[in-house]
Amino acid sequence: MEKFSHQYILLKNNHDSHLDHTWSIIEFKDYTLYTSPNLKVFQFENNDSKLVLLGFCFHVLKPDLDEEEILLSAPADKTAFLDYLDALCGNYLLMKETHGVLELYHDPAGVFKMFSYAPNNVCLAVGPDPAIIHEHFPLQKSKKAESIAFYQSEFFKKNLVRLGKHAIYEDVQQVIPNHSLLVNANTINRYFPRAKKEAIDLETAIEKVHTYTSNCMDAAYRKYQIRCTLTGGWDSRMVLAFTKKHRHNTEYFTVTKPPFKHSHYDIQIPQKICKKLGLTYKIYEREVLLTEEEQQNAMDSFTWLNQSNLFNILGPFSRFKSPDQLILIGSVSEICKNYYDSVNISDGKSLSQAAHFPVMTYTVDHFQKVYDEMKHIQDQFDYDLADLIHWEQDITNFAGAGIMLRSFTTKTFSPFNCRLVIKTVLSIPRKYRDKQRHTFYKAYIAAQFPELNEFEVNPNLKKELIVLSKKMGIYNIYKKISTRFR
């Protein structure tokens, strides 16, 4: 498995790639795209425009379309094109060049990442990680004192989590979800939300999500051999519900998590579910099935991949290397669960605390800008600022980053990674999306796969105490105090 597996690099013309000759080349007017041999690439071109799709996706309203047909059916009108993107579900990067103007869009969770390198405000390169850009340009780490303080902090060394669009290098930034990159002009443009949120009731949301995910699953099962991760938690329980129609053509599995034993509820509960429902279930021991050379290639392919997350993220999935396999996971569903809960977010400092970042100049200045922007969007479009902040900060830098790292060895995919699904869930009242009580999840499963509600979910004392404290009306006080002193 080569270095920079399943990756790409877009370079301004007259700057050749240093990668080996097996990489494919697609030329745009001012830029050249290089893609690794194992990365799926689809393209469509007419007199006015060129569309290139990297990765894979399904259309949740038109499940019969494959990727080539998705490109062929894409509308030319800008507004209609953005609406069309909302219906795509998958891990993808879409490049659209019209009359020589190149614009890049990625999936809602930012799994297929874009990092742009633009010294002197001229975009010279775009890649999924600064490491591949560093192969072509001598990137320099930021010399600003507040930046150095953050990246040298114990918090960062322990968590290795990005702060919004920021990278550790000068002139490099991440394009976060709901934004596109206009490459020629080196501008990043927000394209969602575009209209005021339409509040919907629980039943309508269930019907819509069922339609979208059913279509998506039909399309996925036609193309791939499906395996589905299963634990004792809500996220995988929802994905299991999505697979109901195809459940007898699915292998469900759990990866052991040391020091957890086979007696842990994350294994015991899936075993009970699959046994009662007659589903195929396996337990895989956590191990890294990569050669030393492949492990080193993985380490060299990403800016922030250490031995710990090499083992935790790549290890369990390195056994599923076949391009015909697709691993279903529950990631990205976190956006449905009120991550910031009842925390009062009123400025950059309180947002930094709510997002579990340390309070320091670098984080507070960043989150103040985010808060100001999201407050305006909330006033204009009615989307809760906490939902959008969580989406564009945490979903891309946790769930999205994890899926992206796994792509080095296999395809992992979340049915939640679709803007129509996310928009729908964010349009129901927040009280139905409490991350301890999960009213929406329970109602969805009751309507679509009621047998699953017979099994307990995450029998965890801490969660039970939180639910109890909410019923007693004291949880908000605890949350306020614990966040303030974080």
Side-chain angles (χ1 to χ4, degrees):
M1 190 171 292
E2 77 278 7
K3 185 178 177 182
F4 300 120
S5 180
H6 295 89
Q7 294 196 33
Y8 72 94
I9 183 78
L10 181 74
L11 296 171
K12 192 167 177 60
N13 288 349
N14 301 320
H15 192 98
D16 295 332
S17 174
H18 298 163
L19 301 166
D20 68 61
H21 67 278
T22 62
W23 285 51
S24 299
I25 297 174
I26 296 178
E27 294 182 350
F28 296 97
K29 180 177 180 293
D30 298 320
Y31 291 84
T32 302
L33 172 68
Y34 301 85
T35 59
S36 65
N38 48 20
L39 177 61
K40 281 288 187 180
V41 182
F42 307 89
Q43 59 179 313
F44 169 74
E45 187 171 3
N46 59 25
N47 294 332
D48 298 324
S49 64
K50 175 187 290 189
L51 290 173
V52 176
L53 177 73
L54 308 183
F56 68 92
C57 64
F58 313 105
H59 197 295
V60 301
L61 299 178
K62 302 175 181 179
D64 293 334
L65 300 183
D66 61 23
E67 285 89 350
E68 291 180 348
E69 293 167 328
I70 285 173
L71 293 183
L72 181 63
S73 303
D77 175 76
K78 182 66 175 286
T79 300
F81 177 76
L82 294 176
D83 292 340
Y84 189 78
L85 286 185
D86 286 351
L88 299 186
C89 186
N91 310 337
Y92 63 86
L93 178 65
L94 184 57
M95 302 181 170
K96 182 180 183 183
E97 184 178 55
T98 306
H99 301 298
V101 178
L102 180 60
E103 193 157 13
L104 275 53
Y105 306 83
H106 51 14
D107 57 86
V111 170
F112 223 105
K113 296 199 172 300
M114 288 187 270
F115 285 85
S116 66
Y117 173 60
N120 301 315
N121 204 34
V122 176
C123 185
L124 298 183
V126 182
D129 188 273
I132 195 170
I133 299 175
H134 194 49
E135 287 283 307
H136 300 82
F137 299 93
L139 301 182
Q140 302 295 321
K141 291 185 178 179
S142 173
K143 297 182 177 61
K144 296 179 180 177
E146 60 271 23
S147 172
I148 293 173
F150 173 71
Y151 291 113
Q152 290 183 350
S153 68
E154 289 303 313
F155 166 85
F156 178 77
K157 291 176 182 178
K158 177 181 178 181
N159 296 283
L160 294 180
V161 59
R162 290 190 169 89
L163 181 67
K165 66 181 182 179
H166 299 291
I168 197 170
Y169 297 106
E170 294 281 0
D171 303 313
V172 177
Q173 67 172 313
Q174 177 181 199
V175 181
I176 60 176
N178 300 321
H179 294 72
S180 66
L181 173 63
L182 192 59
V183 183
N184 312 67
N186 187 44
T187 57
I188 294 174
N189 303 308
R190 173 178 288 280
Y191 64 89
F192 180 84
R194 301 183 299 279
K196 199 176 186 68
K197 183 183 76 175
E198 298 181 15
I200 58 177
D201 58 35
L202 199 59
E203 291 72 22
T204 302
I206 290 171
E207 292 175 5
K208 285 178 175 288
V209 170
H210 179 64
T211 297
Y212 303 148
T213 56
S214 295
N215 286 340
C216 184
M217 290 295 93
D218 286 347
Y221 277 89
R222 276 200 303 271
K223 189 171 183 179
Y224 295 102
Q225 175 190 353
I226 304 296
R227 285 184 166 90
C228 181
T229 59
L230 198 55
T231 68
W234 277 111
D235 300 330
S236 67
R237 194 72 54 90
M238 283 292 287
V239 176
L240 171 55
F242 297 157
T243 67
K244 179 181 180 180
K245 177 180 176 181
H246 304 277
R247 63 190 183 277
H248 296 302
N249 294 319
T250 307
E251 178 191 283
Y252 300 91
F253 71 95
T254 307
V255 177
T256 57
K257 299 179 180 181
F260 296 166
K261 300 179 180 179
H262 286 204
S263 58
H264 191 274
Y265 64 78
D266 270 337
I267 293 179
Q268 288 292 304
I269 293 175
Q271 280 184 320
K272 291 178 183 177
I273 293 173
C274 292
K275 182 178 180 179
K276 183 166 184 178
L277 299 180
L279 307 178
T280 301
Y281 176 73
K282 291 186 179 181
I283 299 171
Y284 292 106
E285 301 298 327
R286 175 170 292 191
E287 53 186 330
V288 179
L289 300 179
L290 295 173
T291 66
E292 289 187 7
E293 181 182 7
E294 289 173 338
Q295 290 185 48
Q296 190 58 53
N297 283 345
M299 297 284 287
D300 293 340
S301 297
F302 304 103
T303 305
W304 294 331
L305 177 63
N306 56 24
Q307 284 289 346
S308 175
N309 51 30
L310 170 69
F311 187 85
N312 292 331
I313 295 176
L314 296 188
F317 295 93
S318 59
R319 67 184 72 245
F320 307 123
K321 295 182 182 180
S322 170
D324 297 325
Q325 295 183 91
L326 187 63
I327 311 301
L328 299 183
I329 58 176
S331 294
V332 184
S333 65
E334 296 90 349
I335 198 168
C336 306
K337 296 189 290 188
N338 295 354
Y339 181 74
Y340 298 122
D341 214 318
S342 58
V343 176
N344 180 30
I345 299 173
S346 57
D347 56 17
K349 179 181 178 181
S350 58
L351 177 51
S352 184
Q353 293 170 317
H356 295 179
F357 278 79
V359 174
M360 51 199 308
T361 302
Y362 192 66
T363 60
V364 172
D365 286 353
H366 164 75
F367 279 121
Q368 185 63 53
K369 294 175 183 177
V370 171
Y371 174 80
D372 291 341
E373 179 188 7
M374 292 305 184
K375 182 66 170 64
H376 175 73
I377 291 174
Q378 178 177 267
D379 293 342
Q380 184 177 3
F381 296 109
D382 248 13
Y383 282 91
D384 192 290
L385 64 84
D387 287 332
L388 293 180
I389 293 168
H390 177 47
W391 183 350
E392 297 178 9
Q393 165 60 43
D394 307 303
I395 294 300
T396 188
N397 288 319
F398 284 95
I403 299 173
M404 185 269 290
L405 292 174
R406 292 187 196 107
S407 69
F408 188 85
T409 61
T410 191
K411 291 187 180 77
T412 57
F413 163 68
S414 170
F416 286 92
N417 196 14
C418 171
R419 195 167 283 104
L420 278 184
V421 173
I422 296 173
K423 282 171 58 177
T424 300
V425 179
L426 295 188
S427 297
I428 61 177
R430 285 176 64 84
K431 66 180 180 179
Y432 295 141
R433 297 189 280 114
D434 184 281
K435 64 181 178 180
Q436 271 78 43
R437 287 179 276 194
H438 297 284
T439 305
F440 171 69
Y441 283 179
K442 290 178 182 177
Y444 181 91
I445 291 173
Q448 305 301 338
F449 203 163
E451 299 93 324
L452 296 182
N453 272 340
E454 298 175 11
F455 301 93
E456 59 184 343
V457 179
N458 280 347
N460 180 293
L461 179 59
K462 179 181 177 181
K463 291 181 180 292
E464 292 173 0
L465 291 174
I466 292 175
V467 172
L468 178 62
S469 68
K470 286 188 173 184
K471 291 179 179 179
M472 296 173 62
I474 62 175
Y475 177 76
N476 290 354
I477 300 173
Y478 154 76
K479 192 71 175 177
K480 184 176 181 179
I481 295 173
S482 64
T483 302
R484 178 176 296 177
F485 290 100
R486 181 171 290 133

